């Protein structure tokens, strides 16, 4: 069995699910969240901590990597979540064709190993609390006839960041792409509209970043001094145009820290327009006609694929940033060719 619940009668019996072939290697906590979309993070952690979840009869930590064919025991509380998930899958199949067509229309480049798509602003890459529609749930729509594996995510973009996102067609290509990002053989160029103009107009931001709690809950990345608990974070940047109180900045991250570009630009006093998390109320520029949305765009990704082919994909500006370009008097025709060397 790969997905049915096995019980022994009664509503208080534990449930047993088997790990399918395409779930091989998944972390237990992520597997639980995918199988039981209604399960909260804290509850999943508690189930593991108290032994209510067992893998092949043994207690299992949340970060355990599952193997195909393993049996996962769940507490009886999981049954209504499984029923809800089944109902959700029926609804998902009804909308699957529409999502597939949507995603096919966002493909920029595809090869036998990789797919580069233009992710729209506002679409989450993966599901989470309160997130029913997300890119990961649509990837079956990019599978080709005869494919034995579904396409899979390789890296991430924030929900509100638009632009080029890399997908792999299979586990082999995903492992290769993950290594390429880790070894920094890929080149990523982002565009941002900032409040204020970075000075100098071309330079490097070399500021370690660390997570810090915020007053209203949650966390954000902040620049810290050398010797503190921060991780090295380096970003090359170049101011490409200015208009009103804003600048169009091209960015090339040399490291891949969470929210690196957002935190770095805020740290030098020129936060991204619409980024209230890092720029506060000042970056809400509706007063001058700019949309209250994050103005950060993954413009271009360049890499050499597993087959040795050099691939470069560029994503057009999202509508809200194009509107801001027009409002600020930025030259869109000129802007479409902006890059940082290399």
């Amino acid at each position: 069995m790969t997905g049915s619940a096995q019980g022994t009668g009664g509503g208080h019996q534990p449930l047993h699910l088997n790990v399918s072939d395409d779930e091989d290697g998944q972390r237990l906590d992520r597997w639980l969240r995918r199988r039981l979309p209604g399960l909260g993070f804290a509850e999943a952690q508690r189930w593991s901590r108290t032994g209510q979840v067992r893998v092949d009869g043994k207690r299992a930590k949340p970060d355990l990597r599952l193997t195909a064919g393993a049996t996962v025991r769940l507490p009886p509380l999981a049954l209504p979540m499984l029923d809800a998930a089944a109902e959700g899958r029926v609804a998902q199949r009804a909308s699957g064709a529409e999502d597939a067509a949507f995603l096919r229309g966002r493909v920029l480049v595809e090869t036998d190993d990789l797919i580069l798509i233009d992710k729209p602003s506002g679409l989450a890459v993966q599901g989470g609390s309160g997130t029913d529609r997300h890119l990961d749930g649509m990837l079956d729509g990019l599978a080709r006839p005869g494919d034995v594996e579904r396409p899979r995510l390789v890296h991430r973009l924030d929900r509100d960041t638009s632009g080029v996102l890399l997908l792999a067609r299979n586990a082999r290509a995903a492992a290769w792409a993950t290594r390429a990002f880790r070894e920094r053989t890929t080149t990523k160029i982002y565009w941002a509209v900032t409040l204020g103009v970075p000075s100098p107009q071309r330079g490097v931001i070399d500021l370690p970043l660390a997570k810090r709690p915020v007053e209203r809950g949650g966390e954000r990345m902040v620049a810290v001094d050398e010797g503190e608990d921060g991780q090295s974070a380096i970003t090359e940047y170049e101011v490409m145009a200015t208009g009103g109180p804003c600048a169009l900045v091209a960015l090339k991250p040399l490291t891949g820290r969470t929210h690196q570009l957002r935190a770095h630009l805020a740290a030098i006093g020129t936060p991204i327009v619409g980024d209230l998390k890092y720029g506060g109320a000042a970056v809400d520029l509706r007063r001058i006609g700019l949309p209250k949305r994050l103005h950060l765009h993954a413009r271009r990704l360049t890499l050499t694929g597993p087959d040795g082919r050099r691939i470069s994909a560029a994503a057009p500006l999202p509508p809200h940033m194009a509107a801001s370009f027009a409002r600020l008097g930025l030259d869109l025709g000129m802007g479409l060719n902006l890059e940082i060397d290399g």
Side-chain angles (χ1 to χ4, degrees):
M1 296 179 66
T2 59
S4 60
Q6 305 172 30
T8 58
H12 301 287
Q13 296 292 333
L15 309 173
H16 296 84
L17 299 179
N18 289 346
V19 178
S20 64
D21 290 341
D22 62 357
E23 294 170 331
D24 185 69
Q26 287 187 15
R27 283 172 50 123
L28 174 59
D29 51 0
R30 293 172 183 167
W31 182 89
L32 287 170
R33 297 292 297 280
R34 288 192 175 100
R35 286 294 192 102
L36 306 172
L39 181 64
F41 175 79
E43 185 74 354
Q45 298 287 312
R46 187 177 69 82
W47 282 3
S48 295
R49 187 175 63 252
T50 58
Q52 295 183 74
V53 172
R54 293 176 180 260
V55 178
D56 290 335
K58 299 178 181 178
R59 283 177 174 262
K61 293 183 178 180
D63 61 356
L64 174 71
R65 295 285 178 179
L66 298 171
T67 57
T71 299
V72 181
R73 191 192 79 171
L74 304 174
L77 287 173
L79 183 57
M81 297 182 192
L82 282 175
D83 291 340
E87 293 174 3
R89 283 192 292 271
V90 172
Q92 186 177 17
R93 283 195 293 272
S95 62
E98 181 179 341
D99 283 342
F102 163 79
L103 207 54
R104 293 297 314 174
R106 309 292 300 194
V107 172
L108 299 168
V109 175
E110 57 183 323
T111 71
D112 288 340
D113 299 298
L114 306 172
I115 312 169
L116 291 88
I117 67 168
D118 176 16
K119 187 193 85 66
S121 171
L123 177 64
V125 171
Q126 287 185 299
S129 178
T131 302
D132 296 324
R133 188 171 187 265
H134 51 84
L135 179 63
D136 193 32
M138 303 179 186
L139 294 184
D140 287 324
L142 293 178
R144 301 168 300 185
D147 281 352
V148 296
E149 298 182 60
R150 74 190 299 264
R152 58 190 68 198
L153 300 168
V154 174
H155 72 122
R156 309 288 186 269
L157 293 176
D158 293 340
R159 177 198 294 265
D160 295 322
T161 301
S162 58
V164 184
L165 186 74
L166 180 65
L167 308 171
R169 289 202 177 276
N170 49 56
R172 177 188 56 80
W176 173 90
T178 299
R179 185 169 59 254
F181 279 113
R182 184 173 60 247
E183 295 175 354
R184 302 178 189 174
T185 59
T186 62
T187 300
K188 294 181 286 185
I189 302 296
Y190 290 75
W191 292 352
V193 178
T194 61
L195 176 60
V197 182
S199 179
Q201 294 212 347
R202 181 167 187 166
V204 176
I205 306 170
D206 186 352
L207 295 172
L209 297 175
K211 286 184 180 180
R212 294 288 186 265
V214 295
E215 290 183 3
R216 296 184 179 181
E219 296 177 320
R220 71 174 180 175
M221 304 298 290
V222 298
V224 296
D225 293 331
E226 294 286 350
E228 294 189 47
D229 61 347
Q231 292 182 302
S232 172
I234 304 172
T235 303
E236 293 183 7
Y237 74 89
E238 182 173 4
V239 176
M240 308 305 296
T242 60
C246 300
L248 170 62
V249 183
L251 302 146
K252 180 180 177 182
L254 302 184
T255 52
R257 308 306 177 199
T258 300
H259 294 176
Q260 175 175 318
L261 303 181
R262 298 166 63 182
H264 267 174
L265 286 170
I268 65 171
T270 55
I272 299 173
V273 171
D275 188 3
L276 275 66
K277 183 180 183 76
Y278 287 91
V283 295
D284 179 357
L285 296 186
R286 287 177 292 178
R287 62 185 180 274
I288 62 171
L290 302 192
K292 187 185 175 182
R293 300 186 65 178
L294 182 67
H295 284 57
L296 179 62
H297 178 62
R299 161 60 179 170
R300 182 180 292 277
L301 177 62
T302 304
L303 71 160
T304 300
D307 59 359
R309 172 185 170 188
R310 193 67 171 166
I311 304 167
S312 185
L317 281 174
H320 73 280
M321 286 185 66
S324 294
F325 268 49
R327 185 73 178 179
L328 295 168
L330 300 173
D331 186 341
L332 186 59
M334 173 274 296
L336 288 175
N337 295 312
L338 300 183
E339 303 293 351
I340 286 181
D341 295 341

